[in-house]
Amino acid sequence: MANESAIRRDMGPWALMFTGLGSIIGSGWLFGAWRAAGLAGPGAIWAWVLGAAVITTIAITYAELGAMFPESGGMVRYSHYSHGSLVGFIAAWANWIAIVSVIPVEAEASVQYMASWPWAWAHALYGPVAGGHSELSHIGLLIAAALVVVYFLVNFWSVKLFAHSNMAITVVKLVIPALTGLSLLASGFHSANLQVGVDGGSHTLDFPAILTAVATAGIVFSFNGFQSPVNLAGEARNPGRSLPFAILGSIVIATIVYVLLQVAYLGAVPTEMLAAHGWHGIDFRSPFAELAILLNLHWLAVLLYADAFVSPSGTGITYTATTARMIYGMERNGTLPSVLGHIHPRFGIPRPAMWLNLAVSFVFLFFFRGWGTLAAVISVATIISYLTGPVSVMTLRRTAPQRHRPFRVPWLSTLAGIGFVFATELLYWARWPLTGGIILLMIAALPIYFYYQSKAGWHDFRRQLNGAWWLMAYLPCTAIVSWAGSSTFGGHDYIPYGWDLALVAILGLVFFIWGVRSGWSTPTLAEIADQPAHH
């Protein structure tokens, strides 16, 4: 516990909320409205509202968990308490992959916006390559790598420095998107655009397209920022009060901003651009900046090019902080080398964990050289990481009833069940084969877990396995349904549309009940049973 006590509890509720808001309003606002409109047309507005509702049902379960266990890197600890080390490892792995990969993606977003600056050297930073897609050039990658190093250095010395710099950046990030949305609306709103469909015909509400947009257009990717306050709960002065405020406040404010931006984007695109190919044919490199230039709002374009550094950088800085706490939490779970759990005695920062994440960020930069190539992948890994929250919070109500809960969610069984079913639906909406690929990535990490189990002499392995069968069955079952489901969601049409959504909901409910019943009073939970919760 010496390391845990070395972490400073310096963050108040507003600073904590700004970490969430700073994570949610990152590169997603620069590209999300464009991507969502390309998939769902005017239905993209509903995609943001639905995405916010889905994420809120999941996030509220983490608010109770975070307040009950205010630890750094808490997102990777809760399922370890409720179901043991195997479920804890799978959840932690999914969570870490989803978050650490955002750091280089934010840097890539900044460089991608730079590539539409009106100079030849900028155009060379990002462009088409063999295979019909675009990616960063070698120079573009070097600039992105330099940005990742900047995120690293801001976090290297102090929680307080991180919190103060993040609050300032987030205020700027909030003002510029809101100003962008209002400016585009004021420049002339083409209401006829709302009648244009994805492929150029008349718009009809395409529910499957809206669902796919929620899962893959950057909506889940953006709202995943609610995890940042949870992972920093160990630094909060009063987590019972601060955490629900930070999580719900950041989601509500971000939803208002994103809906405003989506409406403004839909109304601002020149009607002649939609005439040929519809929303799917709109191909912007820097969506809002290019729109501003088309509308002769050159001052706004300059502001947006500047903010293309500020918004992603704020998120990159926040995620650099939270991923370090996650590695620290995974080391405490016993599935990573002990050196990664070392906290600097003066600055209260898990520095070895930061070095690991820096190296992994460079690997992602090398293999995925554009914002679009990673956003959907990150979204699906994110969805898998959500699954254990609703199950863990319900299990702990049964296995740790005496544990102090500074924040207690009302109607928890209903909300947690809905949250798990929604997460399962999200996974399905992401479309085959993406769902299968990411599920395979989750399973591929198991040899790391088995290595540490063998080092421990397979101690209590049977109980760990019994607590994990529900999740071990859930992942392949979901992949099979995705493969066999309707072609609407990329499947082979063995299950017709409509019936597939119903089947996924039933499966989600069955696995939720199985998961809650599989929880047990784990040794880790027993170890902390006598330790007072932080008030």
Side-chain angles (χ1 to χ4, degrees):
M1 291 302 293
N3 268 350
E4 184 69 20
S5 62
I7 291 179
R8 298 180 177 182
R9 301 188 187 275
D10 287 337
M11 299 183 75
W14 285 96
L16 205 61
M17 194 207 41
F18 275 113
T19 66
L21 198 54
S23 297
I24 296 172
I25 302 179
S27 61
W29 93 263
L30 296 169
F31 296 99
W34 163 65
R35 290 287 298 275
L39 285 168
I45 298 168
W46 295 109
W48 285 103
V49 174
L50 179 60
V54 169
I55 295 303
T56 300
T57 62
I58 296 165
I60 197 72
T61 64
Y62 282 103
E64 178 168 319
L65 289 166
M68 186 164 54
F69 303 108
E71 305 177 28
S72 287
M75 289 288 292
V76 302
R77 294 285 287 165
Y78 310 135
S79 53
H80 192 81
Y81 292 144
S82 63
H83 287 79
S85 60
L86 182 49
V87 173
F89 176 79
I90 295 171
W93 176 260
N95 203 278
W96 177 65
I97 287 291
I99 300 291
V100 73
S101 51
V102 172
I103 299 169
V105 165
E106 298 301 308
E108 289 179 338
S110 293
V111 179
Q112 197 166 319
Y113 250 68
M114 279 178 67
S116 60
W117 287 2
W119 296 293
W121 66 267
H123 294 165
L125 298 176
Y126 179 88
V129 294
H133 67 283
S134 297
E135 63 179 37
L136 295 181
S137 65
H138 294 307
I139 300 297
L141 281 174
L142 284 174
I143 296 172
L147 284 173
V148 169
V149 172
V150 170
Y151 307 160
F152 173 86
L153 292 175
V154 169
N155 280 278
F156 199 66
W157 284 284
S158 163
V159 170
K160 202 167 270 188
L161 173 63
F162 154 71
H164 290 169
S165 64
N166 187 66
M167 282 187 73
I169 289 171
T170 304
V171 168
V172 174
K173 287 171 62 174
L174 194 57
V175 169
I176 293 179
L179 182 62
T180 299
L182 294 172
S183 299
L184 292 179
L185 287 173
S187 69
F189 187 84
H190 306 300
S191 57
N193 288 4
L194 299 181
Q195 306 305 317
V196 179
V198 174
D199 295 314
S202 180
H203 171 65
T204 54
L205 204 61
D206 186 347
F207 192 55
I210 291 171
L211 301 182
T212 299
V214 172
T216 63
I219 295 175
V220 167
F221 167 82
S222 297
F223 280 120
N224 188 40
F226 85 82
Q227 294 192 28
S228 290
V230 179
N231 281 318
L232 290 166
E235 279 98 315
R237 285 196 294 269
N238 186 342
R241 186 176 303 167
S242 301
L243 208 54
F245 173 81
I247 291 171
L248 297 177
S250 61
I251 291 174
V252 168
I253 295 171
T255 302
I256 293 168
V257 172
Y258 275 121
V259 170
L260 170 67
L261 285 165
Q262 187 67 68
V263 171
Y265 175 83
L266 290 167
V269 172
T271 51
E272 60 272 17
M273 290 185 71
L274 291 173
H277 303 293
W279 294 104
H280 187 67
I282 303 294
D283 187 18
F284 285 133
R285 184 180 284 188
S286 315
F288 284 112
E290 291 179 56
L291 263 184
I293 292 170
L294 285 171
L295 298 172
N296 292 316
L297 300 174
H298 295 285
W299 64 270
L300 181 60
V302 172
L303 197 61
L304 285 164
Y305 284 132
D307 190 62
F309 278 98
V310 176
S311 284
S313 294
T315 303
I317 288 166
T318 302
Y319 278 36
T320 300
T322 57
T323 48
R325 276 68 173 181
M326 290 167 73
I327 290 294
Y328 167 75
M330 289 169 75
E331 183 276 330
R332 294 185 67 212
N333 287 348
T335 50
L336 284 178
S338 58
V339 66
L340 295 174
H342 178 70
I343 302 292
H344 192 280
R346 179 181 172 193
F347 296 115
I349 302 290
R351 283 185 168 178
M354 287 187 65
W355 284 108
L356 172 66
N357 288 326
L358 181 65
V360 172
S361 295
F362 287 150
V363 172
F364 274 110
L365 271 180
F366 181 79
F367 285 106
F368 301 96
R369 303 184 179 192
W371 190 89
T373 57
L374 254 182
V377 172
I378 293 169
S379 295
V380 180
T382 295
I383 294 162
I384 293 174
S385 74
Y386 289 158
L387 294 167
T388 54
V391 173
S392 291
V393 74
M394 276 301 298
T395 298
L396 288 163
R397 284 275 183 102
R398 173 171 56 82
T399 58
Q402 77 291 344
R403 182 75 183 177
H404 177 59
R405 288 168 171 78
F407 174 68
R408 193 177 180 92
V409 178
W411 308 297
L412 179 65
S413 57
T414 301
L415 285 172
I418 291 171
F420 189 89
V421 169
F422 270 150
T424 306
E425 292 281 7
L426 274 172
L427 198 52
Y428 181 72
W429 301 341
R431 297 174 63 88
W432 180 267
L434 187 58
T435 46
I438 304 305
I439 286 170
L440 185 63
L441 181 62
M442 298 303 106
I443 296 169
L446 288 176
I448 300 172
Y449 173 78
F450 293 137
Y451 168 75
Y452 279 97
Q453 282 294 304
S454 66
K455 280 188 69 174
W458 303 97
H459 175 68
D460 214 15
F461 180 67
R462 183 178 293 275
R463 294 186 75 184
Q464 308 293 347
L465 196 58
N466 287 339
W469 279 123
W470 68 276
L471 186 56
M472 301 286 279
Y474 173 90
L475 293 174
C477 275
T478 308
I480 290 167
V481 172
S482 182
W483 172 83
S486 68
S487 57
T488 308
F489 296 103
H492 287 72
D493 241 356
Y494 296 120
I495 308 168
Y497 172 68
W499 290 103
D500 57 345
L501 296 177
L503 176 61
V504 170
I506 292 167
L507 272 177
L509 189 58
V510 168
F511 277 104
F512 172 72
I513 294 168
W514 184 7
V516 171
R517 291 183 177 177
S518 297
W520 53 296
S521 187
T522 62
T524 319
L525 185 61
E527 286 172 15
I528 64 165
D530 296 327
Q531 296 167 9
H534 174 66
H535 297 276

